[in-house]
Amino acid sequence: MQKTAIIAEYNPFHNGHYYQAQTARQETGADAMIAIMSAQFTQRGEPASFDKWKRARAAVESGAIDLVVELPTKYGVQRADRFAMSAVSIAEQLRCQTLSFGSESGDVDAILHAAQSNVEETPLYKEALHQALQEGHSSAQASSRAFRTVYPSFDLTRPNNILAYHYAKAAKTIQLHTVKRLGADYHDTSLTDVMSATGIRAHYLETGEVRAVPASTEAMFQSQSMTHWELFWHVLQYKLRTLPLHTLSELVGIDTSLAPRLKRAGFETSFEHALTSVSTRRYTRTSIQRAFVSILLHWLKEEAPTRFDDVPYVRPLAFNDIGRVALRDVKQELPLIGKYDERLDFEARVTEAYRLPLHNDTLIEHRQRPQFISSK
């Protein structure tokens, strides 16, 4: 069985995602399209617009995706290289022959060449990295600037190119395929038939109108309000004000320099004001949002994974008839999770935090099962 994987967040699943999956299916000859999807919080440290079960269902109901499996929170709310390594490991455990992804370049050979160039091992890169860090840039920004110094032909500042590069670095057995990103860039909020997820969310919050999404995603918007950080502000504010500095410093993504800045942010009037007040060149908005996730979850450093190239289980969230065959194909050799067990204890904690402002009594981890969506 030919299986093509896509690493995604579907926040929410939109027309660009549909185009990417359909194009990938055609160009890779896939029998099954498998999405490895972030859970309740995204890689950039935002609460997902809708819970993972609804997003997984919308993707499968669109007809473009046959199976959605979870990228657990401990592996999904991470910097790009760790995120990529973890998701690729799941794709390879599922014996996917191909990994397809969107990129700004649309040139898989350029991505592979950049990944194989070992730029990070060169003295020039190390010197440029040190200089950028000395200038106060975050580690991610410093890495991109240093990379451009050594390898100017590949733009490692573009969001999808960054992930594509790290997918190529992480791939062991899987072949790479890329679809040139169609329509709006990640941060673009212009109104078109193919909008970015950022643009779709912003437009919905401003107008209440849903644009540039398949019918399955539109139905999701109609059945539930969209989730965003401001809904969590009062809970987060309480934790920021009351947790001691030494406790904050024990949480993932927070050092002793950042902890006092976060404490002061607890006295801001909104989440956005708090985020802006803490952000600097060293502490980017993305890294601060991931720190806020750690605070909300009380995610201790000792609970973080020690390695990211071997996610310990594979958990289906939604699938159709083709997806069921794809799972059956690897069932005997995979640590598949269908019903709740202790390996999901951390995810249960995540979902409990995620559902706090939603007043949704059904959104409880141990009550959930993989969703079968009939293809007929």
Side-chain angles (χ1 to χ4, degrees):
M1 186 179 206
Q2 285 294 121
K3 291 174 282 192
T4 293
I6 291 175
I7 298 167
E9 297 190 312
Y10 294 155
N11 189 33
F13 186 87
H14 56 61
N15 289 347
H17 294 136
Y18 184 88
Y19 167 80
Q20 181 206 355
Q22 293 289 65
T23 302
R25 187 191 293 272
Q26 180 180 8
E27 292 183 356
T28 66
D31 300 306
M33 292 299 302
I34 299 174
I36 297 142
M37 189 188 77
S38 295
Q40 313 291 34
F41 292 86
T42 70
Q43 186 262 333
R44 295 177 178 89
E46 297 175 313
S49 52
F50 297 92
D51 72 68
K52 58 192 175 186
W53 294 286
K54 286 187 175 63
R55 286 157 39 237
R57 173 176 281 275
V60 176
E61 285 182 343
S62 76
I65 299 295
D66 302 303
L67 166 65
V68 178
V69 300
E70 177 176 79
L71 178 58
T73 301
K74 287 184 179 182
Y75 301 87
V77 184
Q78 293 285 351
R79 67 190 196 210
D81 59 333
R82 293 174 173 177
F83 172 92
M85 196 183 304
S86 303
V88 168
S89 82
I90 294 176
E92 292 185 337
Q93 286 184 68
L94 287 164
R95 293 216 313 264
C96 295
Q97 293 89 349
T98 308
L99 171 65
S100 183
F101 48 84
S103 68
E104 284 89 1
S105 71
D107 184 351
V108 74
D109 289 334
I111 294 164
L112 284 168
H113 192 271
Q116 293 165 0
S117 63
N118 291 321
V119 163
E120 292 91 345
E121 302 304 316
T122 65
L124 181 58
Y125 172 87
K126 292 176 181 177
E127 181 182 345
L129 177 65
H130 176 74
Q131 179 64 33
L133 290 170
Q134 289 289 102
E135 292 172 0
H137 294 284
S138 70
S139 58
Q141 291 171 336
S143 297
S144 294
R145 291 168 70 91
F147 190 93
R148 187 167 63 241
T149 300
V150 181
Y151 200 96
S153 60
F154 187 75
D155 186 358
L156 206 58
T157 65
R158 306 293 294 277
N160 284 280
N161 279 357
I162 293 170
L163 286 172
Y165 173 80
H166 288 298
Y167 295 152
K169 295 279 283 186
K172 297 175 183 174
T173 62
I174 200 165
Q175 298 296 307
L176 301 183
H177 169 268
T178 190
V179 176
K180 186 173 176 61
R181 189 178 175 95
L182 182 69
D185 285 342
Y186 174 77
H187 294 295
D188 191 344
T189 57
S190 58
L191 303 182
T192 65
D193 289 336
V194 180
M195 295 170 62
S196 69
T198 303
I200 290 166
R201 296 194 306 270
H203 183 69
Y204 176 75
L205 285 174
E206 183 178 345
T207 68
E209 180 187 17
V210 183
R211 293 181 60 111
V213 300
S216 57
T217 299
E218 187 169 359
M220 187 171 63
F221 273 91
Q222 292 170 350
S223 66
Q224 182 182 318
S225 298
M226 192 181 78
T227 307
H228 53 88
W229 258 126
E230 291 293 351
L231 297 178
F232 296 84
W233 173 237
H234 290 306
V235 175
L236 189 58
Q237 186 180 45
Y238 167 77
K239 299 198 78 171
L240 288 169
R241 291 185 181 188
T242 58
L243 286 177
L245 282 174
H246 69 85
T247 302
L248 283 174
S249 300
E250 293 170 354
L251 304 180
V252 170
I254 302 174
D255 58 29
T256 54
S257 297
L258 179 57
R261 298 179 63 86
L262 292 169
K263 287 286 288 182
R264 291 193 294 272
F267 293 90
E268 297 290 343
T269 57
S270 68
F271 175 82
E272 181 58 33
H273 287 153
L275 181 60
T276 302
S277 74
V278 181
S279 300
T280 64
R281 283 205 300 182
R282 178 182 176 186
Y283 298 117
T284 64
R285 289 173 67 91
T286 295
S287 66
I288 298 304
Q289 286 186 152
R290 287 199 287 258
F292 283 148
V293 173
S294 289
I295 294 166
L296 190 67
L297 303 180
H298 204 88
W299 182 10
L300 296 168
K301 289 172 181 171
E302 64 194 46
E303 298 176 299
T306 56
R307 56 184 298 184
F308 294 88
D309 60 345
D310 186 21
V311 178
Y313 63 82
V314 176
R315 185 192 192 190
L317 297 176
F319 55 87
N320 59 18
D321 294 294
I322 295 172
R324 180 155 55 188
V325 174
L327 284 171
R328 192 179 300 145
D329 187 42
V330 294
K331 184 177 182 180
Q332 299 305 316
E333 58 197 74
L334 275 188
L336 278 175
I337 292 184
K339 60 182 180 179
Y340 189 89
D341 70 30
E342 63 183 8
R343 289 173 291 180
L344 297 178
D345 285 352
F346 188 82
E347 287 304 322
R349 200 162 104 202
V350 174
T351 294
E352 196 62 26
Y354 179 85
R355 79 186 189 98
L356 273 173
L358 305 181
H359 309 294
N360 184 344
D361 292 336
T362 66
L363 192 59
I364 298 174
E365 200 79 19
H366 70 262
R367 294 182 183 174
Q368 308 301 323
R369 296 289 185 274
Q371 306 164 98
F372 172 68
I373 290 99
S374 176
S375 305
K376 299 177 182 178

